[in-house]
Amino acid sequence: MRFFDPEGEEYGIPTFPRKLAPEGLATRRQLRSKGLRPNGQPVIAQILWFGRRDPLTRVRPVRAAYLYRLDLAAPVRPMTPGRARAVAAMMRARRTCPDCLVTYPYVIPTSLGCCPACADHPAALAA
């Protein structure tokens, strides 16, 4: 069976195919859905599977999801007022154009580096 290495001899850590991980282990996303976090514990095992085929190279990449022990997981830390202010400030910075200093209701694309209006007319700002 492909990707089945419970002793970790081939991949370095215990490896399982999709849907065959043992009970008591969960991915980060599964932990979060249960209101838990890994709590600093190391990766115990992994799940490997083939991803979607790239249309240009026709290669199927190997995807990985790391597993953590449920009994060592801790509850997610609650959102405090200070953390809420910090998150709001971070999001405001992502919505503010560094060139024209306008705050938009959406996150500015990092590929542009500035708002679409400034990206379309860089010479207008220099004048």
Side-chain angles (χ1 to χ4, degrees):
M1 180 179 290
R2 187 81 180 206
F3 302 133
F4 187 73
D5 181 23
E7 284 79 34
E9 296 169 358
E10 183 177 351
Y11 298 103
I13 61 174
T15 304
F16 302 95
R18 288 177 73 179
K19 300 182 181 179
L20 288 181
E23 294 293 323
L25 300 180
T27 64
R28 280 185 177 268
R29 187 171 287 189
Q30 291 168 338
L31 287 174
R32 189 62 181 209
S33 69
K34 295 177 182 182
L36 300 172
R37 60 186 169 94
N39 198 23
Q41 64 176 300
V43 172
I44 301 299
Q46 67 182 349
I47 297 173
L48 294 180
W49 72 95
F50 284 112
R52 291 188 179 189
R53 190 179 307 270
D54 182 21
L56 298 176
T57 61
R58 306 295 296 161
V59 175
R60 294 178 66 193
V62 175
R63 307 275 318 265
Y66 300 115
L67 298 171
Y68 302 90
R69 289 178 43 182
L70 280 171
D71 58 341
L72 297 179
V76 175
R77 294 186 183 113
M79 181 63 74
T80 63
R83 288 179 66 196
R85 283 191 304 274
V87 169
M90 288 185 284
M91 293 307 295
R92 189 170 41 260
R94 293 181 65 195
R95 294 189 334 260
T96 303
C97 177
D99 294 337
C100 62
L101 300 178
V102 175
T103 301
Y104 291 94
Y106 56 87
V107 174
I108 296 172
T110 56
S111 60
L112 297 178
C114 57
C115 67
C118 292
D120 290 340
H121 305 295
L125 290 174

